[in-house]
Amino acid sequence: MSTGLIEGKTARRRLPWGPMARMAGRRALFAAPVLLAVTFGVFAVADASPFDPVKAYTGTAGLTASQENLDQIRANLGVDQPLTTRWWNWLTAALTGDFGDSSVMRQPVADVIAERMGWSVLLAASAFLIAIVLGTALGVLAARRQGGWLDRCASAAAYTLEAAPAFWLGLLAIWFFALELGVLPAGGLTDTASDVITPGQVASHLVLPAAVLGISQLPWFFLYVRQGVADALDEDPVRGARARGLSETSVLLGHALRSGMLPMLTLIGSRVPELITGALLVETVFSWPGIAAATVEAATSVDFPLLAALTVLATTAVLLGNLLSDLLYGLADPRVGFDG
Amino acid sequence: MADTLWRSTGRTRRSTRTVRISFSAVTVAAVVLAVLIVPPLAQLDEQAVDLSKKLLPPSWEHPFGTDDVGRDLLLRCVYGLRISLLVGLVAALVATVVGTLVGAAAAAFGGWTDRIVMRLVDTFASVPHLLLGIFIVAMFRPGVWPVIASVALTHWLSTARIVRSEVLSLRSRPFVDAAISGGASRLRLTARHLLPSVLPQAGLAAVLMVPHAMWHESALSFLGLGLPTHQASLGNLVQSARSSLLAGDWWPTLFPGLFLIIPTLAIAGLAGAWRERINPRRRSELML
């Protein structure tokens, strides 16, 4: 950034692939024990809880089954083995892609995840896009006139939105857009009447959940861009640009926004936990067939194999997000480097 | 430096800031009074079902309207806030005590203890909070204590980090050297000199944690994984209002949400002012 003037735009910096790869490798080394600990923790919590895998497996049939049958199932499921053995068996099977069978979806856990992953990624990506575009636009406008009416209104709205639960926003959006105005569908992936998935149908069903998830993430992006641009407007590069007589637009977008957006861009990866939290609520409200909705279903019907796999999956996503965030930070600010 | 919402840079700012703080203080006081006084004084049964009055829109008699079995929503919301606030307070208290002890112990013992404890904190922080909460509640079945435990278990991490870094920075101060030269043991040093100095920071974290914990409880209850349905917490109220909402009646959904947002903003407003007082140089950050 600051060296741009000296090096000129023709001398593009090459990406430091080596240090970046080494950082990713170090993070993978750190991630392995974390994932081990999380999987063990998941098994330990289940072991300490009153949850009984045999009852969960047999369901209502377990009430009438004979004790012999129940004991047989218990042995088949390996429930009578100690905690560490069960954990180790699950772990070795998981490494080969076998996460067991989901009792609530009546299919292998790996299939559930593969079927639903795409819809969740679509929803999350659309929501992120909405949050970044809206947040950046509003943030720049608010920072331009700090203390002005737009800044005051947008900041107050951002703090209010940050306090508002995503499920509540989703329900009110359903009431207003689907019931009062009747312009958008209230939930699901396609109309109930149709059994084929067409892009047009998915798009119209995506609007509300993506908008609600995006708006619930918006305050964070807005407040960061606003702060970053406002700080940048006070600094020497902007003063220099103004002194050279550049137009206000070019100062704002070319100079202030470029450095003001950095903190936000580099922290995007660390927003993964909040995104997952939001998705858990929004997918449930809108009956979106993603993995977050499956997590809630698995939890309500105590489907341990599915819940365990999804917890590990979410942890992996968070770790990847942290890595992405650190890589971007090192790229954006060479002084930070890739030593973490 | 650019001004932020809670920072004063001049006369006009100071006045809006004072207004904001007084407004927050009045709101918090009103909330506390309402949840303490209304239930014993009103002598009304918030569970009283009156099917002749079901789903009445807001009116003078029922300012928030009535729900699908004719219960007054204002009364339900006050009771819901009472339960949510209680769960939030207990969870925040447990999380703060655990976080302060763990953070102080990690910093005081240092070395391998510190490394292992902080790695454990990192590991916990890698699981999204709500997901961990969902997992714990799913395994232990919904109820008051699993909810409190799951919220507390996901919230002590930030306090532990804050307290640890605060203790570490305090250790280089002269009064700590003086205490060590005076022959203070490690335990005495931590309990007598370090912990009292980190209490304001831990207290601030605790206050900010209450709305967060309430939010968590509501989310869990809304997903059907929180408090039992007969305990009308704010999340349960929104959950039970879903069928009415799909019939087009908005008030049973709107008001419980507002009862969550307004106390959150008020508590955050007060905590922001407090943070400026104990730590004036630090720029005030995002609220929650």
Side-chain angles (χ1 to χ4, degrees), chain B residues 14-46:
Chain B
R14 192 177 302 276
S15 67
T16 57
R17 176 168 166 259
T18 316
V19 168
R20 194 171 285 124
I21 292 175
S22 353
F23 191 74
S24 303
V26 168
T27 312
V28 170
V31 163
V32 171
L33 277 182
V35 300
L36 287 182
I37 288 180
V38 169
L41 277 191
Q43 298 287 325
L44 296 169
D45 186 6
E46 43 103 27

PDB file of all heavy atoms in Angstrom, chain B residues 14-46:
ATOM      1  N   ARG B  14     -20.795  15.625  24.450  1.00  0.00           N
ATOM      2  CA  ARG B  14     -20.951  15.291  25.856  1.00  0.00           C
ATOM      3  C   ARG B  14     -22.429  15.289  26.225  1.00  0.00           C
ATOM      4  O   ARG B  14     -22.892  14.440  26.957  1.00  0.00           O
ATOM      5  CB  ARG B  14     -20.174  16.294  26.706  1.00  0.00           C
ATOM      6  CG  ARG B  14     -20.032  15.884  28.157  1.00  0.00           C
ATOM      7  CD  ARG B  14     -19.179  16.892  28.904  1.00  0.00           C
ATOM      8  NE  ARG B  14     -17.849  17.014  28.298  1.00  0.00           N
ATOM      9  CZ  ARG B  14     -16.833  16.206  28.567  1.00  0.00           C
ATOM     10  NH1 ARG B  14     -16.999  15.233  29.407  1.00  0.00           N
ATOM     11  NH2 ARG B  14     -15.672  16.379  27.996  1.00  0.00           N
ATOM     12  N   SER B  15     -23.167  16.235  25.685  1.00  0.00           N
ATOM     13  CA  SER B  15     -24.558  16.295  26.087  1.00  0.00           C
ATOM     14  C   SER B  15     -25.326  15.079  25.567  1.00  0.00           C
ATOM     15  O   SER B  15     -26.080  14.465  26.314  1.00  0.00           O
ATOM     16  CB  SER B  15     -25.203  17.585  25.603  1.00  0.00           C
ATOM     17  OG  SER B  15     -25.272  17.579  24.204  1.00  0.00           O
ATOM     18  N   THR B  16     -25.091  14.690  24.300  1.00  0.00           N
ATOM     19  CA  THR B  16     -25.813  13.510  23.816  1.00  0.00           C
ATOM     20  C   THR B  16     -25.364  12.288  24.589  1.00  0.00           C
ATOM     21  O   THR B  16     -26.156  11.393  24.845  1.00  0.00           O
ATOM     22  CB  THR B  16     -25.566  13.269  22.319  1.00  0.00           C
ATOM     23  OG1 THR B  16     -24.171  13.150  22.116  1.00  0.00           O
ATOM     24  CG2 THR B  16     -26.152  14.351  21.476  1.00  0.00           C
ATOM     25  N   ARG B  17     -24.097  12.279  24.991  1.00  0.00           N
ATOM     26  CA  ARG B  17     -23.601  11.121  25.727  1.00  0.00           C
ATOM     27  C   ARG B  17     -24.278  11.042  27.088  1.00  0.00           C
ATOM     28  O   ARG B  17     -24.693   9.971  27.532  1.00  0.00           O
ATOM     29  CB  ARG B  17     -22.087  11.265  25.879  1.00  0.00           C
ATOM     30  CG  ARG B  17     -21.464  10.194  26.704  1.00  0.00           C
ATOM     31  CD  ARG B  17     -19.955  10.244  26.571  1.00  0.00           C
ATOM     32  NE  ARG B  17     -19.363   9.441  27.607  1.00  0.00           N
ATOM     33  CZ  ARG B  17     -18.838   9.953  28.703  1.00  0.00           C
ATOM     34  NH1 ARG B  17     -18.813  11.247  28.881  1.00  0.00           N
ATOM     35  NH2 ARG B  17     -18.341   9.170  29.622  1.00  0.00           N
ATOM     36  N   THR B  18     -24.401  12.199  27.761  1.00  0.00           N
ATOM     37  CA  THR B  18     -25.071  12.199  29.057  1.00  0.00           C
ATOM     38  C   THR B  18     -26.508  11.727  28.912  1.00  0.00           C
ATOM     39  O   THR B  18     -26.992  10.913  29.707  1.00  0.00           O
ATOM     40  CB  THR B  18     -25.054  13.621  29.647  1.00  0.00           C
ATOM     41  OG1 THR B  18     -23.763  14.154  29.450  1.00  0.00           O
ATOM     42  CG2 THR B  18     -25.396  13.601  31.102  1.00  0.00           C
ATOM     43  N   VAL B  19     -27.179  12.226  27.874  1.00  0.00           N
ATOM     44  CA  VAL B  19     -28.557  11.807  27.639  1.00  0.00           C
ATOM     45  C   VAL B  19     -28.614  10.298  27.467  1.00  0.00           C
ATOM     46  O   VAL B  19     -29.451   9.607  28.049  1.00  0.00           O
ATOM     47  CB  VAL B  19     -29.122  12.514  26.386  1.00  0.00           C
ATOM     48  CG1 VAL B  19     -30.437  11.876  25.965  1.00  0.00           C
ATOM     49  CG2 VAL B  19     -29.306  13.989  26.656  1.00  0.00           C
ATOM     50  N   ARG B  20     -27.640   9.783  26.686  1.00  0.00           N
ATOM     51  CA  ARG B  20     -27.651   8.351  26.386  1.00  0.00           C
ATOM     52  C   ARG B  20     -27.436   7.538  27.664  1.00  0.00           C
ATOM     53  O   ARG B  20     -28.106   6.532  27.894  1.00  0.00           O
ATOM     54  CB  ARG B  20     -26.536   8.060  25.377  1.00  0.00           C
ATOM     55  CG  ARG B  20     -26.653   6.703  24.743  1.00  0.00           C
ATOM     56  CD  ARG B  20     -25.661   6.571  23.614  1.00  0.00           C
ATOM     57  NE  ARG B  20     -26.035   7.302  22.431  1.00  0.00           N
ATOM     58  CZ  ARG B  20     -25.280   8.225  21.843  1.00  0.00           C
ATOM     59  NH1 ARG B  20     -24.112   8.538  22.348  1.00  0.00           N
ATOM     60  NH2 ARG B  20     -25.684   8.835  20.763  1.00  0.00           N
ATOM     61  N   ILE B  21     -26.493   7.994  28.508  1.00  0.00           N
ATOM     62  CA  ILE B  21     -26.217   7.247  29.732  1.00  0.00           C
ATOM     63  C   ILE B  21     -27.414   7.298  30.654  1.00  0.00           C
ATOM     64  O   ILE B  21     -27.833   6.276  31.224  1.00  0.00           O
ATOM     65  CB  ILE B  21     -24.953   7.790  30.430  1.00  0.00           C
ATOM     66  CG1 ILE B  21     -23.728   7.493  29.579  1.00  0.00           C
ATOM     67  CG2 ILE B  21     -24.792   7.170  31.801  1.00  0.00           C
ATOM     68  CD1 ILE B  21     -22.472   8.080  30.124  1.00  0.00           C
ATOM     69  N   SER B  22     -28.024   8.485  30.803  1.00  0.00           N
ATOM     70  CA  SER B  22     -29.179   8.548  31.703  1.00  0.00           C
ATOM     71  C   SER B  22     -30.310   7.688  31.160  1.00  0.00           C
ATOM     72  O   SER B  22     -30.993   7.011  31.923  1.00  0.00           O
ATOM     73  CB  SER B  22     -29.690   9.979  31.879  1.00  0.00           C
ATOM     74  OG  SER B  22     -28.848  10.893  31.286  1.00  0.00           O
ATOM     75  N   PHE B  23     -30.481   7.711  29.855  1.00  0.00           N
ATOM     76  CA  PHE B  23     -31.532   6.909  29.250  1.00  0.00           C
ATOM     77  C   PHE B  23     -31.291   5.425  29.536  1.00  0.00           C
ATOM     78  O   PHE B  23     -32.206   4.702  29.928  1.00  0.00           O
ATOM     79  CB  PHE B  23     -31.563   7.169  27.744  1.00  0.00           C
ATOM     80  CG  PHE B  23     -32.765   6.606  27.077  1.00  0.00           C
ATOM     81  CD1 PHE B  23     -34.000   7.202  27.220  1.00  0.00           C
ATOM     82  CD2 PHE B  23     -32.664   5.449  26.305  1.00  0.00           C
ATOM     83  CE1 PHE B  23     -35.112   6.676  26.607  1.00  0.00           C
ATOM     84  CE2 PHE B  23     -33.771   4.916  25.691  1.00  0.00           C
ATOM     85  CZ  PHE B  23     -35.005   5.529  25.847  1.00  0.00           C
ATOM     86  N   SER B  24     -30.026   4.996  29.350  1.00  0.00           N
ATOM     87  CA  SER B  24     -29.703   3.591  29.628  1.00  0.00           C
ATOM     88  C   SER B  24     -29.968   3.260  31.085  1.00  0.00           C
ATOM     89  O   SER B  24     -30.542   2.216  31.406  1.00  0.00           O
ATOM     90  CB  SER B  24     -28.236   3.311  29.305  1.00  0.00           C
ATOM     91  OG  SER B  24     -27.953   3.642  27.981  1.00  0.00           O
ATOM     92  N   ALA B  25     -29.543   4.172  31.985  1.00  0.00           N
ATOM     93  CA  ALA B  25     -29.683   3.912  33.412  1.00  0.00           C
ATOM     94  C   ALA B  25     -31.152   3.785  33.779  1.00  0.00           C
ATOM     95  O   ALA B  25     -31.555   2.867  34.507  1.00  0.00           O
ATOM     96  CB  ALA B  25     -29.020   5.020  34.221  1.00  0.00           C
ATOM     97  N   VAL B  26     -31.980   4.701  33.253  1.00  0.00           N
ATOM     98  CA  VAL B  26     -33.411   4.664  33.563  1.00  0.00           C
ATOM     99  C   VAL B  26     -34.019   3.363  33.052  1.00  0.00           C
ATOM    100  O   VAL B  26     -34.803   2.705  33.745  1.00  0.00           O
ATOM    101  CB  VAL B  26     -34.113   5.897  32.952  1.00  0.00           C
ATOM    102  CG1 VAL B  26     -35.629   5.730  33.014  1.00  0.00           C
ATOM    103  CG2 VAL B  26     -33.685   7.149  33.666  1.00  0.00           C
ATOM    104  N   THR B  27     -33.619   2.957  31.821  1.00  0.00           N
ATOM    105  CA  THR B  27     -34.174   1.725  31.257  1.00  0.00           C
ATOM    106  C   THR B  27     -33.795   0.518  32.104  1.00  0.00           C
ATOM    107  O   THR B  27     -34.640  -0.328  32.414  1.00  0.00           O
ATOM    108  CB  THR B  27     -33.684   1.529  29.820  1.00  0.00           C
ATOM    109  OG1 THR B  27     -33.853   2.746  29.115  1.00  0.00           O
ATOM    110  CG2 THR B  27     -34.442   0.429  29.138  1.00  0.00           C
ATOM    111  N   VAL B  28     -32.495   0.436  32.471  1.00  0.00           N
ATOM    112  CA  VAL B  28     -32.068  -0.712  33.278  1.00  0.00           C
ATOM    113  C   VAL B  28     -32.820  -0.726  34.598  1.00  0.00           C
ATOM    114  O   VAL B  28     -33.321  -1.771  35.041  1.00  0.00           O
ATOM    115  CB  VAL B  28     -30.538  -0.679  33.508  1.00  0.00           C
ATOM    116  CG1 VAL B  28     -30.137  -1.713  34.542  1.00  0.00           C
ATOM    117  CG2 VAL B  28     -29.807  -0.919  32.206  1.00  0.00           C
ATOM    118  N   ALA B  29     -32.946   0.448  35.225  1.00  0.00           N
ATOM    119  CA  ALA B  29     -33.663   0.522  36.494  1.00  0.00           C
ATOM    120  C   ALA B  29     -35.108   0.081  36.310  1.00  0.00           C
ATOM    121  O   ALA B  29     -35.650  -0.691  37.129  1.00  0.00           O
ATOM    122  CB  ALA B  29     -33.605   1.947  37.043  1.00  0.00           C
ATOM    123  N   ALA B  30     -35.740   0.539  35.230  1.00  0.00           N
ATOM    124  CA  ALA B  30     -37.132   0.176  34.980  1.00  0.00           C
ATOM    125  C   ALA B  30     -37.272  -1.330  34.787  1.00  0.00           C
ATOM    126  O   ALA B  30     -38.195  -1.951  35.315  1.00  0.00           O
ATOM    127  CB  ALA B  30     -37.654   0.919  33.758  1.00  0.00           C
ATOM    128  N   VAL B  31     -36.324  -1.906  34.035  1.00  0.00           N
ATOM    129  CA  VAL B  31     -36.379  -3.354  33.789  1.00  0.00           C
ATOM    130  C   VAL B  31     -36.258  -4.114  35.104  1.00  0.00           C
ATOM    131  O   VAL B  31     -37.051  -5.015  35.403  1.00  0.00           O
ATOM    132  CB  VAL B  31     -35.254  -3.769  32.821  1.00  0.00           C
ATOM    133  CG1 VAL B  31     -35.034  -5.266  32.866  1.00  0.00           C
ATOM    134  CG2 VAL B  31     -35.593  -3.319  31.411  1.00  0.00           C
ATOM    135  N   VAL B  32     -35.268  -3.710  35.920  1.00  0.00           N
ATOM    136  CA  VAL B  32     -35.057  -4.426  37.184  1.00  0.00           C
ATOM    137  C   VAL B  32     -36.275  -4.288  38.084  1.00  0.00           C
ATOM    138  O   VAL B  32     -36.771  -5.275  38.655  1.00  0.00           O
ATOM    139  CB  VAL B  32     -33.781  -3.891  37.877  1.00  0.00           C
ATOM    140  CG1 VAL B  32     -33.670  -4.448  39.282  1.00  0.00           C
ATOM    141  CG2 VAL B  32     -32.561  -4.254  37.059  1.00  0.00           C
ATOM    142  N   LEU B  33     -36.800  -3.056  38.190  1.00  0.00           N
ATOM    143  CA  LEU B  33     -37.985  -2.843  39.019  1.00  0.00           C
ATOM    144  C   LEU B  33     -39.159  -3.675  38.503  1.00  0.00           C
ATOM    145  O   LEU B  33     -39.859  -4.320  39.283  1.00  0.00           O
ATOM    146  CB  LEU B  33     -38.368  -1.361  39.013  1.00  0.00           C
ATOM    147  CG  LEU B  33     -37.606  -0.483  39.998  1.00  0.00           C
ATOM    148  CD1 LEU B  33     -38.112   0.942  39.925  1.00  0.00           C
ATOM    149  CD2 LEU B  33     -37.776  -1.033  41.409  1.00  0.00           C
ATOM    150  N   ALA B  34     -39.341  -3.653  37.171  1.00  0.00           N
ATOM    151  CA  ALA B  34     -40.493  -4.359  36.601  1.00  0.00           C
ATOM    152  C   ALA B  34     -40.437  -5.841  36.928  1.00  0.00           C
ATOM    153  O   ALA B  34     -41.426  -6.414  37.383  1.00  0.00           O
ATOM    154  CB  ALA B  34     -40.533  -4.143  35.091  1.00  0.00           C
ATOM    155  N   VAL B  35     -39.259  -6.447  36.723  1.00  0.00           N
ATOM    156  CA  VAL B  35     -39.220  -7.899  36.935  1.00  0.00           C
ATOM    157  C   VAL B  35     -39.261  -8.245  38.418  1.00  0.00           C
ATOM    158  O   VAL B  35     -39.660  -9.334  38.793  1.00  0.00           O
ATOM    159  CB  VAL B  35     -37.986  -8.558  36.274  1.00  0.00           C
ATOM    160  CG1 VAL B  35     -38.003  -8.304  34.787  1.00  0.00           C
ATOM    161  CG2 VAL B  35     -36.710  -8.084  36.894  1.00  0.00           C
ATOM    162  N   LEU B  36     -38.844  -7.292  39.299  1.00  0.00           N
ATOM    163  CA  LEU B  36     -38.888  -7.586  40.725  1.00  0.00           C
ATOM    164  C   LEU B  36     -40.263  -7.320  41.310  1.00  0.00           C
ATOM    165  O   LEU B  36     -40.747  -8.070  42.160  1.00  0.00           O
ATOM    166  CB  LEU B  36     -37.837  -6.745  41.469  1.00  0.00           C
ATOM    167  CG  LEU B  36     -36.387  -7.153  41.287  1.00  0.00           C
ATOM    168  CD1 LEU B  36     -35.487  -6.269  42.129  1.00  0.00           C
ATOM    169  CD2 LEU B  36     -36.191  -8.607  41.673  1.00  0.00           C
ATOM    170  N   ILE B  37     -40.899  -6.205  40.878  1.00  0.00           N
ATOM    171  CA  ILE B  37     -42.101  -5.740  41.578  1.00  0.00           C
ATOM    172  C   ILE B  37     -43.379  -6.263  40.946  1.00  0.00           C
ATOM    173  O   ILE B  37     -44.297  -6.676  41.645  1.00  0.00           O
ATOM    174  CB  ILE B  37     -42.108  -4.196  41.610  1.00  0.00           C
ATOM    175  CG1 ILE B  37     -41.049  -3.728  42.589  1.00  0.00           C
ATOM    176  CG2 ILE B  37     -43.465  -3.674  42.010  1.00  0.00           C
ATOM    177  CD1 ILE B  37     -40.964  -2.244  42.706  1.00  0.00           C
ATOM    178  N   VAL B  38     -43.431  -6.291  39.615  1.00  0.00           N
ATOM    179  CA  VAL B  38     -44.705  -6.617  38.964  1.00  0.00           C
ATOM    180  C   VAL B  38     -45.233  -7.988  39.373  1.00  0.00           C
ATOM    181  O   VAL B  38     -46.377  -8.089  39.816  1.00  0.00           O
ATOM    182  CB  VAL B  38     -44.595  -6.486  37.433  1.00  0.00           C
ATOM    183  CG1 VAL B  38     -45.809  -7.070  36.756  1.00  0.00           C
ATOM    184  CG2 VAL B  38     -44.436  -5.030  37.050  1.00  0.00           C
ATOM    185  N   PRO B  39     -44.430  -9.044  39.304  1.00  0.00           N
ATOM    186  CA  PRO B  39     -45.016 -10.356  39.627  1.00  0.00           C
ATOM    187  C   PRO B  39     -45.650 -10.440  41.002  1.00  0.00           C
ATOM    188  O   PRO B  39     -46.802 -10.866  41.101  1.00  0.00           O
ATOM    189  CB  PRO B  39     -43.832 -11.314  39.456  1.00  0.00           C
ATOM    190  CG  PRO B  39     -42.972 -10.631  38.459  1.00  0.00           C
ATOM    191  CD  PRO B  39     -43.089  -9.175  38.757  1.00  0.00           C
ATOM    192  N   PRO B  40     -44.976  -9.997  42.108  1.00  0.00           N
ATOM    193  CA  PRO B  40     -45.661 -10.107  43.400  1.00  0.00           C
ATOM    194  C   PRO B  40     -46.824  -9.120  43.547  1.00  0.00           C
ATOM    195  O   PRO B  40     -47.808  -9.447  44.202  1.00  0.00           O
ATOM    196  CB  PRO B  40     -44.562  -9.826  44.426  1.00  0.00           C
ATOM    197  CG  PRO B  40     -43.435  -9.234  43.680  1.00  0.00           C
ATOM    198  CD  PRO B  40     -43.563  -9.608  42.267  1.00  0.00           C
ATOM    199  N   LEU B  41     -46.718  -7.921  42.971  1.00  0.00           N
ATOM    200  CA  LEU B  41     -47.759  -6.910  43.172  1.00  0.00           C
ATOM    201  C   LEU B  41     -49.000  -7.177  42.337  1.00  0.00           C
ATOM    202  O   LEU B  41     -50.116  -6.990  42.783  1.00  0.00           O
ATOM    203  CB  LEU B  41     -47.211  -5.521  42.833  1.00  0.00           C
ATOM    204  CG  LEU B  41     -46.424  -4.813  43.934  1.00  0.00           C
ATOM    205  CD1 LEU B  41     -46.199  -3.366  43.547  1.00  0.00           C
ATOM    206  CD2 LEU B  41     -47.157  -4.902  45.255  1.00  0.00           C
ATOM    207  N   ALA B  42     -48.756  -7.588  41.078  1.00  0.00           N
ATOM    208  CA  ALA B  42     -49.883  -7.678  40.158  1.00  0.00           C
ATOM    209  C   ALA B  42     -50.907  -8.697  40.630  1.00  0.00           C
ATOM    210  O   ALA B  42     -52.097  -8.513  40.435  1.00  0.00           O
ATOM    211  CB  ALA B  42     -49.381  -8.034  38.770  1.00  0.00           C
ATOM    212  N   GLN B  43     -50.447  -9.750  41.302  1.00  0.00           N
ATOM    213  CA  GLN B  43     -51.363 -10.792  41.770  1.00  0.00           C
ATOM    214  C   GLN B  43     -52.200 -11.338  40.618  1.00  0.00           C
ATOM    215  O   GLN B  43     -53.298 -11.815  40.823  1.00  0.00           O
ATOM    216  CB  GLN B  43     -52.296 -10.248  42.868  1.00  0.00           C
ATOM    217  CG  GLN B  43     -51.586  -9.778  44.108  1.00  0.00           C
ATOM    218  CD  GLN B  43     -51.055 -10.933  44.939  1.00  0.00           C
ATOM    219  OE1 GLN B  43     -51.668 -11.989  45.006  1.00  0.00           O
ATOM    220  NE2 GLN B  43     -49.899 -10.762  45.550  1.00  0.00           N
ATOM    221  N   LEU B  44     -51.688 -11.212  39.410  1.00  0.00           N
ATOM    222  CA  LEU B  44     -52.416 -11.724  38.265  1.00  0.00           C
ATOM    223  C   LEU B  44     -51.759 -13.019  37.848  1.00  0.00           C
ATOM    224  O   LEU B  44     -50.550 -13.188  37.996  1.00  0.00           O
ATOM    225  CB  LEU B  44     -52.351 -10.732  37.100  1.00  0.00           C
ATOM    226  CG  LEU B  44     -53.015  -9.380  37.326  1.00  0.00           C
ATOM    227  CD1 LEU B  44     -52.649  -8.422  36.219  1.00  0.00           C
ATOM    228  CD2 LEU B  44     -54.510  -9.550  37.423  1.00  0.00           C
ATOM    229  N   ASP B  45     -52.542 -13.906  37.324  1.00  0.00           N
ATOM    230  CA  ASP B  45     -51.983 -15.159  36.864  1.00  0.00           C
ATOM    231  C   ASP B  45     -51.624 -15.016  35.395  1.00  0.00           C
ATOM    232  O   ASP B  45     -52.505 -14.872  34.551  1.00  0.00           O
ATOM    233  CB  ASP B  45     -53.005 -16.276  37.072  1.00  0.00           C
ATOM    234  CG  ASP B  45     -52.392 -17.624  36.745  1.00  0.00           C
ATOM    235  OD1 ASP B  45     -51.170 -17.653  36.483  1.00  0.00           O
ATOM    236  OD2 ASP B  45     -53.125 -18.611  36.755  1.00  0.00           O
ATOM    237  N   GLU B  46     -50.295 -15.026  35.117  1.00  0.00           N
ATOM    238  CA  GLU B  46     -49.904 -14.837  33.722  1.00  0.00           C
ATOM    239  C   GLU B  46     -50.251 -16.063  32.876  1.00  0.00           C
ATOM    240  O   GLU B  46     -50.253 -16.015  31.676  1.00  0.00           O
ATOM    241  CB  GLU B  46     -48.414 -14.527  33.610  1.00  0.00           C
ATOM    242  CG  GLU B  46     -47.502 -15.356  34.467  1.00  0.00           C
ATOM    243  CD  GLU B  46     -46.777 -16.451  33.717  1.00  0.00           C
ATOM    244  OE1 GLU B  46     -46.557 -16.307  32.501  1.00  0.00           O
ATOM    245  OE2 GLU B  46     -46.434 -17.442  34.358  1.00  0.00           O
TER     246      GLU B  46
END
